[in-house]
Amino acid sequence: MTTDTPTLAGKQIVIFGGSSGIGLATAVAAKRRGAAVTLVGRTPAKLATAACILGGAGTIEADLGRRESIEAVFEAIPELDHLVITAGGIHAGKLSETDPDDLLVEVNEHIAGSLYAVKAAMPRMRPQGSVVLMGGQFSDRPAGNGTSVMALACRGIEALARALALEYKPARFNVIAPGFVETPIYDAFGSEVRAAILSAAAASLPVGRIGQPQEIADAILFLLGNGYVNCEVLHVDGGGRFA
């Protein structure tokens, strides 16, 4: 099946984090398959650029860390078929050296933000709809380099998805769990540190390279399009869990 096959024709997809990286790649792939997409992000300029790349898309400015901002998104969306949440930053640090409140921003964005978005979206979800939440390889392979709370958030989102699938059945809930992917999320570290992080990650992986956003997007679209996949965690990490 090629990326141009219209398996999502006529479907309405809301993508948090859709203005860049994995979210934007997912939007591009979904639109090629016939979907209508609404991009949700924090930065109006990035949203406008992303909509231009797509040749047109709905855009809504919102912050996944703020409940009222998330709820306002769905006031403008009467119906949807799929919700995809790829937004969130990196909030890392060793507990011995970092204020716990700073680390818990990770939990607030990934766990609380997902809860608020699902709560607001589900009354508008059409029958046979689905949700894809963002996990990561740290759930199975935490590291001692300050990623403890990231590991907590990744593992928590997996449990959350499975529980919500039971609560909101027959809507499906799945988790995409990427490893290291070449996205703008690492830009905050500066170009030299970014290059060092990704180079070290590539050298450690069995596939010998880091992932590309389009590869994660393909996996997300599989989760959206296969109506029998539910309560699943799909790992797309180049073997990083076992390296």
Side-chain angles (χ1 to χ4, degrees), residues 79-105:
E79 289 185 306
L80 71 155
D81 295 283
H82 301 288
L83 170 64
V84 179
I85 300 179
T86 66
I90 295 178
H91 307 283
K94 294 183 178 181
L95 181 59
S96 58
E97 303 169 357
T98 311
D99 187 325
D101 287 341
D102 293 335
L103 296 178
L104 286 171
V105 173

Side-chain angles (χ1 to χ4, degrees), residues 21-143:
I22 293 170
L24 178 56
T26 301
V28 170
K31 190 165 184 181
R32 284 176 180 166
R33 298 191 189 187
V37 297
T38 299
L39 311 177
V40 183
R42 292 175 176 172
T43 309
K46 290 174 64 177
L47 286 168
T49 299
C52 185
I53 291 171
L54 287 166
T59 62
I60 302 177
E61 183 182 353
D63 183 350
L64 195 59
R66 295 174 52 235
R67 178 176 183 174
E68 64 274 16
S69 181
I70 296 169
E71 292 174 343
V73 168
F74 294 97
E75 292 175 1
I77 299 174
E79 289 185 306
L80 71 155
D81 295 283
H82 301 288
L83 170 64
V84 179
I85 300 179
T86 66
I90 295 178
H91 307 283
K94 294 183 178 181
L95 181 59
S96 58
E97 303 169 357
T98 311
D99 187 325
D101 287 341
D102 293 335
L103 296 178
L104 286 171
V105 173
E106 182 81 18
V107 177
N108 186 51
E109 286 187 351
H110 283 81
I111 304 295
S114 295
L115 278 175
Y116 296 142
V118 169
K119 173 75 170 179
M122 292 313 295
R124 296 165 172 81
M125 186 78 70
R126 291 171 179 159
Q128 311 308 315
S130 77
V131 177
V132 175
L133 302 178
M134 178 62 72
Q137 76 174 46
F138 288 133
S139 172
D140 292 295
R141 188 179 173 82

